[in-house]
Amino acid sequence: MSTPPSGAPGVEDNSGESAEDKKERERQFNLRESNSAWKAVAYLITGPLIYGGLGALLDHWLGTTWLVGAGIVGGMALSLYLIWFRYGTH
């Protein structure tokens, strides 16, 4: 198996990189990954809250009792799908 030339697209040439540059690149990578993790947690929290709240409003308006639970489950399912779609297809 041959290695791609150093000028090929998507291949980084880090042979002349200093230690400070390498540390900065790693820090930026860690920051991006941390931000992605916190966004996923926010999706998991807000999905059930929003759809559970909409279910509670509809329950109050329609006089039912089951829409809160359906909203929470539906919000969690949509949150998990959104996380899978955004971060699982790299």
Side-chain angles (χ1 to χ4, degrees):
M1 201 171 201
S2 66
T3 59
S6 61
V11 176
E12 295 181 25
D13 182 19
N14 297 331
S15 59
E17 188 175 42
S18 69
E20 291 89 22
D21 291 339
K22 185 176 179 183
K23 279 186 176 183
E24 179 61 25
R25 189 170 43 87
E26 288 175 358
R27 190 185 72 74
Q28 291 294 328
F29 174 77
N30 289 336
L31 185 61
R32 279 193 310 271
E33 292 299 312
S34 176
N35 287 341
S36 295
W38 282 112
K39 285 180 186 178
V41 169
Y43 291 145
L44 287 174
I45 293 171
T46 57
L49 283 177
I50 290 173
Y51 286 99
L54 289 174
L57 289 174
L58 286 173
D59 270 344
H60 182 71
W61 186 52
L62 298 173
T64 59
T65 58
W66 60 274
L67 289 173
V68 173
I72 291 171
V73 171
M76 182 59 74
L78 287 172
S79 294
L80 291 172
Y81 174 73
L82 181 63
I83 291 168
W84 173 77
F85 184 73
R86 286 202 176 173
Y87 302 113
T89 57
H90 288 276

